[in-house]
């Protein structure tokens, strides 16, 4: 559904997209350069729209795509970057300059990636800890192709990340329901 004010919402009719294929949508992102929305989902396709009303399905590498962001690399350039939470593969990142044609990027490490954000210079993704590498749950990249694994200051599931241009910091939300009581933290990084 769509809204121009955040208060009043309109349901997009199922005739405007392939309802059977838009199962398990995970994240939506806007590219100001392309004037385009992209929805990533579990499976082997993405949905794109220029108006939020009419959506077109396009194929992409198969994965459990969890999040997508727009990474602006200049006034007239940039690309979409999506991360997957599928743990048993090194193929957990895909990128696209047009939202339609996607390229799988191979990592040298496996994680369950939950979210990705950009500050215009750096992409930063957050993940769930893995056995033996419990705090290595961040990764960064300037080009979406070459990624560096980073260590988080806490041993929790990092679930969400966002960049504030005004404050010039990334903010990460985490949780750990394996501890008693449940633990929730916020991490800031400049």
């Amino acid at each position: 559904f769509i809204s121009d004010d955040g208060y009043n919402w309109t349901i997009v009719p199922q005739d405007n997209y392939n309802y059977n294929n838009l199962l398990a949508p995970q994240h939506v992102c806007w590219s100001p350069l392309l004037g385009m929305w992209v929805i990533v989902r579990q499976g082997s396709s993405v949905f794109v729209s220029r108006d939020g009303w009419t959506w077109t399905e396009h194929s992409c590498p198969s994965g459990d795509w969890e999040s997508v962001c727009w990474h602006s690399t200049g006034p007239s350039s940039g690309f979409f970057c999506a991360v997957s939470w599928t743990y048993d593969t090194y193929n957990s990142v895909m990128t696209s300059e047009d939202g339609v044609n996607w390229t799988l990027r191979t990592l040298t490490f496996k994680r369950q990636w939950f979210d990705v954000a950009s500050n215009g210079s750096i992409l930063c993704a957050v993940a769930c800890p893995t056995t033996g590498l419990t705090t290595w749950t961040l990764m960064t990249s300037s080009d979406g192709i070459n990624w560096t694994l980073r260590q988080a200051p806490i041993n929790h599931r990092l679930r969400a990340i966002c960049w504030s241009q005004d404050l010039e910091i990334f903010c990460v939300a985490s949780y750990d329901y394996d501890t008693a009581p449940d633990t929730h933290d916020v991490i800031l990084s400049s």
Side-chain angles (χ1 to χ4, degrees):
F1 41 92
I2 58 176
S3 172
D4 61 2
D5 61 11
Y7 295 101
N8 301 296
W9 293 88
T10 302
I11 296 174
V12 176
Q14 291 179 6
D15 294 344
N16 290 25
Y17 58 93
N18 187 338
Y19 176 76
N20 291 327
N21 286 350
L22 190 55
L23 299 176
Q26 297 298 316
H27 202 255
V28 62
C29 175
W30 172 256
S31 164
L33 178 66
L34 300 178
M36 176 188 295
W37 295 99
V38 169
I39 293 177
V40 294
R41 67 179 196 91
Q42 297 174 17
S44 58
S45 63
V46 298
F47 284 78
V48 299
S49 176
R50 295 205 179 272
D51 60 8
W53 192 254
T54 303
W55 294 85
T56 304
E57 184 178 14
H58 297 278
S59 63
C60 72
S62 183
D64 293 318
W65 302 108
E66 184 73 12
S67 178
V68 62
C69 76
W70 175 254
H71 182 62
S72 178
T73 55
S76 60
S77 61
F79 58 89
F80 288 103
C81 180
V83 295
S84 171
W85 63 269
T86 304
Y87 172 73
D88 60 350
T89 180
Y90 293 105
N91 300 321
S92 298
V93 175
M94 67 176 178
T95 60
S96 173
E97 293 182 359
D98 61 9
V100 174
N101 301 293
W102 292 84
T103 302
L104 195 61
R105 306 299 181 183
T106 302
L107 303 175
T108 58
F109 41 83
K110 296 179 184 179
R111 299 289 184 282
Q112 289 176 298
W113 299 103
F114 285 115
D115 201 6
V116 62
S118 169
N119 70 0
S121 298
I122 297 292
L123 288 156
C124 187
V126 296
C128 182
T130 57
T131 305
L133 299 169
T134 54
T135 57
W136 293 92
T137 52
L138 296 163
M139 69 175 173
T140 58
S141 175
S142 60
D143 61 10
I145 300 168
N146 301 296
W147 291 84
T148 302
L149 197 58
R150 306 284 183 189
Q151 194 167 12
I154 58 174
N155 178 16
H156 290 172
R157 292 166 177 86
L158 305 186
R159 188 62 181 101
I161 185 169
C162 187
W163 169 254
S164 166
Q165 183 64 40
D166 295 337
L167 300 176
E168 295 186 349
I169 59 173
F170 284 103
C171 182
V172 173
S174 74
Y175 68 95
D176 191 352
Y177 55 80
D178 293 336
T179 61
D182 289 353
T183 306
H184 308 275
D185 290 295
V186 174
I187 304 168
L188 301 176
S189 171
S190 56

